[in-house]
Short mmCIF file of all heavy atoms in Angstrom, two decimals:
data_model
loop_
_atom_site.label_atom_id
_atom_site.label_comp_id
_atom_site.label_asym_id
_atom_site.label_seq_id
_atom_site.Cartn_x
_atom_site.Cartn_y
_atom_site.Cartn_z
N TRP T 18 -8.70 10.93 -9.94
CA TRP T 18 -8.96 11.94 -8.92
C TRP T 18 -9.94 11.42 -7.87
O TRP T 18 -9.81 11.73 -6.68
CB TRP T 18 -9.48 13.21 -9.57
CG TRP T 18 -8.44 13.88 -10.41
CD1 TRP T 18 -8.34 13.85 -11.78
CD2 TRP T 18 -7.32 14.63 -9.95
NE1 TRP T 18 -7.23 14.55 -12.20
CE2 TRP T 18 -6.58 15.04 -11.10
CE3 TRP T 18 -6.86 15.01 -8.69
CZ2 TRP T 18 -5.42 15.80 -11.01
CZ3 TRP T 18 -5.70 15.77 -8.59
CH2 TRP T 18 -5.01 16.15 -9.74
N LEU T 19 -10.91 10.63 -8.30
CA LEU T 19 -11.84 10.02 -7.34
C LEU T 19 -11.09 9.05 -6.43
O LEU T 19 -11.33 9.00 -5.22
CB LEU T 19 -12.96 9.29 -8.09
CG LEU T 19 -13.97 8.54 -7.22
CD1 LEU T 19 -14.67 9.50 -6.26
CD2 LEU T 19 -15.00 7.82 -8.09
N ALA T 20 -10.18 8.27 -7.02
CA ALA T 20 -9.38 7.33 -6.23
C ALA T 20 -8.51 8.08 -5.21
O ALA T 20 -8.36 7.64 -4.07
CB ALA T 20 -8.50 6.48 -7.14
N LEU T 21 -7.96 9.22 -5.62
CA LEU T 21 -7.15 10.02 -4.70
C LEU T 21 -7.98 10.53 -3.53
O LEU T 21 -7.54 10.48 -2.38
CB LEU T 21 -6.53 11.20 -5.46
CG LEU T 21 -5.69 12.18 -4.63
CD1 LEU T 21 -4.50 11.48 -4.00
CD2 LEU T 21 -5.24 13.35 -5.49
N ILE T 22 -9.18 10.99 -3.84
CA ILE T 22 -10.07 11.48 -2.78
C ILE T 22 -10.42 10.36 -1.81
O ILE T 22 -10.40 10.54 -0.58
CB ILE T 22 -11.35 12.09 -3.39
CG1 ILE T 22 -11.00 13.38 -4.15
CG2 ILE T 22 -12.38 12.39 -2.30
CD1 ILE T 22 -12.16 13.95 -4.94
N LEU T 23 -10.70 9.17 -2.35
CA LEU T 23 -11.02 8.03 -1.49
C LEU T 23 -9.82 7.64 -0.63
O LEU T 23 -9.97 7.26 0.54
CB LEU T 23 -11.46 6.84 -2.34
CG LEU T 23 -12.82 6.97 -3.03
CD1 LEU T 23 -13.06 5.76 -3.93
CD2 LEU T 23 -13.93 7.09 -2.00
N GLY T 24 -8.62 7.73 -1.21
CA GLY T 24 -7.43 7.32 -0.49
C GLY T 24 -7.11 8.19 0.71
O GLY T 24 -6.52 7.71 1.68
N ILE T 25 -7.49 9.47 0.67
CA ILE T 25 -7.18 10.38 1.78
C ILE T 25 -8.41 10.76 2.58
O ILE T 25 -8.31 11.53 3.54
CB ILE T 25 -6.50 11.66 1.25
CG1 ILE T 25 -7.48 12.46 0.37
CG2 ILE T 25 -5.23 11.33 0.49
CD1 ILE T 25 -6.93 13.80 -0.08
N ALA T 26 -9.56 10.22 2.23
CA ALA T 26 -10.82 10.63 2.87
C ALA T 26 -10.84 10.31 4.36
O ALA T 26 -11.21 11.16 5.19
CB ALA T 26 -12.00 9.98 2.17
N VAL T 27 -10.45 9.08 4.74
CA VAL T 27 -10.55 8.68 6.14
C VAL T 27 -9.58 9.47 7.02
O VAL T 27 -10.00 9.98 8.07
CB VAL T 27 -10.33 7.16 6.28
CG1 VAL T 27 -10.32 6.76 7.76
CG2 VAL T 27 -11.43 6.40 5.54
N PRO T 28 -8.29 9.61 6.67
CA PRO T 28 -7.42 10.47 7.50
C PRO T 28 -7.94 11.91 7.59
O PRO T 28 -7.81 12.54 8.65
CB PRO T 28 -6.07 10.41 6.77
CG PRO T 28 -6.08 9.12 6.04
CD PRO T 28 -7.51 8.93 5.60
N ALA T 29 -8.53 12.42 6.52
CA ALA T 29 -9.08 13.77 6.56
C ALA T 29 -10.25 13.86 7.52
O ALA T 29 -10.39 14.83 8.29
CB ALA T 29 -9.51 14.21 5.15
N LEU T 30 -11.12 12.84 7.50
CA LEU T 30 -12.26 12.81 8.43
C LEU T 30 -11.79 12.67 9.87
O LEU T 30 -12.38 13.25 10.79
CB LEU T 30 -13.20 11.67 8.06
CG LEU T 30 -13.99 11.85 6.76
CD1 LEU T 30 -14.79 10.59 6.44
CD2 LEU T 30 -14.92 13.06 6.85
N CYS T 31 -10.72 11.89 10.10
CA CYS T 31 -10.16 11.75 11.44
C CYS T 31 -9.63 13.09 11.95
O CYS T 31 -9.83 13.46 13.11
CB CYS T 31 -9.06 10.70 11.45
SG CYS T 31 -9.63 9.00 11.20
N LEU T 32 -8.97 13.83 11.07
CA LEU T 32 -8.47 15.16 11.45
C LEU T 32 -9.63 16.08 11.80
O LEU T 32 -9.59 16.80 12.82
CB LEU T 32 -7.65 15.74 10.30
CG LEU T 32 -7.21 17.21 10.45
CD1 LEU T 32 -6.36 17.40 11.70
CD2 LEU T 32 -6.45 17.66 9.21
N LEU T 33 -10.66 16.07 10.97
CA LEU T 33 -11.82 16.90 11.24
C LEU T 33 -12.48 16.54 12.57
O LEU T 33 -12.89 17.42 13.34
CB LEU T 33 -12.84 16.75 10.10
CG LEU T 33 -14.13 17.56 10.22
CD1 LEU T 33 -13.83 19.05 10.29
CD2 LEU T 33 -15.07 17.25 9.05
N SER T 34 -12.53 15.23 12.88
CA SER T 34 -13.12 14.79 14.14
C SER T 34 -12.32 15.30 15.34
O SER T 34 -12.90 15.73 16.35
CB SER T 34 -13.18 13.26 14.18
OG SER T 34 -13.96 12.76 13.13
N ALA T 56 -7.96 7.61 16.20
CA ALA T 56 -7.98 8.27 14.90
C ALA T 56 -6.82 7.80 14.03
O ALA T 56 -6.98 7.54 12.83
CB ALA T 56 -7.94 9.79 15.07
N VAL T 59 -7.44 4.11 12.91
CA VAL T 59 -8.49 4.05 11.90
C VAL T 59 -7.97 4.54 10.56
O VAL T 59 -8.23 3.95 9.50
CB VAL T 59 -9.72 4.88 12.35
CG1 VAL T 59 -10.71 5.04 11.19
CG2 VAL T 59 -10.41 4.19 13.51
N GLY T 60 -7.22 5.65 10.58
CA GLY T 60 -6.66 6.18 9.33
C GLY T 60 -5.71 5.21 8.67
O GLY T 60 -5.73 5.01 7.46
N ALA T 63 -7.67 2.10 7.30
CA ALA T 63 -8.42 2.46 6.09
C ALA T 63 -7.49 2.56 4.89
O ALA T 63 -7.81 2.07 3.79
CB ALA T 63 -9.17 3.77 6.31
N GLN T 64 -6.34 3.18 5.07
CA GLN T 64 -5.40 3.32 3.96
C GLN T 64 -4.83 1.96 3.55
O GLN T 64 -4.68 1.68 2.36
CB GLN T 64 -4.28 4.27 4.33
CG GLN T 64 -3.44 4.70 3.13
CD GLN T 64 -2.49 5.83 3.47
OE1 GLN T 64 -1.50 5.61 4.17
NE2 GLN T 64 -2.77 7.02 3.00
N LEU T 67 -7.67 0.24 1.60
CA LEU T 67 -8.12 0.91 0.38
C LEU T 67 -7.06 0.93 -0.72
O LEU T 67 -7.39 0.81 -1.90
CB LEU T 67 -8.53 2.35 0.70
CG LEU T 67 -9.93 2.56 1.28
CD1 LEU T 67 -10.12 4.01 1.68
CD2 LEU T 67 -11.00 2.15 0.28
N MET T 68 -5.80 1.07 -0.34
CA MET T 68 -4.77 1.22 -1.36
C MET T 68 -4.69 0.05 -2.33
O MET T 68 -4.55 0.26 -3.54
CB MET T 68 -3.42 1.47 -0.70
CG MET T 68 -3.24 2.88 -0.18
SD MET T 68 -3.44 4.14 -1.48
CE MET T 68 -2.04 3.75 -2.53
N LEU T 71 -7.52 0.59 -4.80
CA LEU T 71 -7.29 1.73 -5.69
C LEU T 71 -6.23 1.40 -6.73
O LEU T 71 -6.37 1.77 -7.91
CB LEU T 71 -6.87 2.95 -4.87
CG LEU T 71 -7.88 3.43 -3.82
CD1 LEU T 71 -7.34 4.64 -3.07
CD2 LEU T 71 -9.22 3.76 -4.46
N VAL T 117 -0.72 9.63 -2.29
CA VAL T 117 -1.71 9.29 -1.27
C VAL T 117 -1.04 9.12 0.10
O VAL T 117 -1.54 9.61 1.12
CB VAL T 117 -2.46 8.00 -1.65
CG1 VAL T 117 -3.37 7.55 -0.51
CG2 VAL T 117 -3.29 8.22 -2.90
N ILE T 120 0.16 12.60 1.51
CA ILE T 120 -0.97 13.40 1.98
C ILE T 120 -1.54 12.79 3.25
O ILE T 120 -1.88 13.49 4.22
CB ILE T 120 -2.06 13.51 0.89
CG1 ILE T 120 -1.53 14.30 -0.30
CG2 ILE T 120 -3.31 14.19 1.45
CD1 ILE T 120 -2.50 14.38 -1.46
N GLY T 121 -1.66 11.45 3.26
CA GLY T 121 -2.19 10.76 4.43
C GLY T 121 -1.33 10.98 5.66
O GLY T 121 -1.84 11.26 6.76
N LEU T 124 -1.76 14.49 6.92
CA LEU T 124 -3.01 14.64 7.67
C LEU T 124 -2.89 14.04 9.07
O LEU T 124 -3.44 14.58 10.04
CB LEU T 124 -4.15 13.96 6.91
CG LEU T 124 -4.59 14.66 5.61
CD1 LEU T 124 -5.57 13.78 4.83
CD2 LEU T 124 -5.24 16.01 5.92
N THR T 128 -3.21 15.82 12.61
CA THR T 128 -4.08 15.29 13.67
C THR T 128 -3.34 15.27 15.00
O THR T 128 -3.91 15.63 16.05
CB THR T 128 -4.55 13.88 13.31
OG1 THR T 128 -5.21 13.90 12.05
CG2 THR T 128 -5.51 13.34 14.37
#
Side-chain angles (χ1 to χ4, degrees):
W18 293 102
L19 177 60
L21 177 62
I22 292 172
L23 290 175
I25 65 175
V27 176
L30 290 175
C31 291
L32 172 59
L33 179 60
S34 300
V59 169
Q64 193 170 72
L67 279 174
M68 283 302 295
L71 300 179
V117 173
I120 294 177
L124 290 171
T128 303

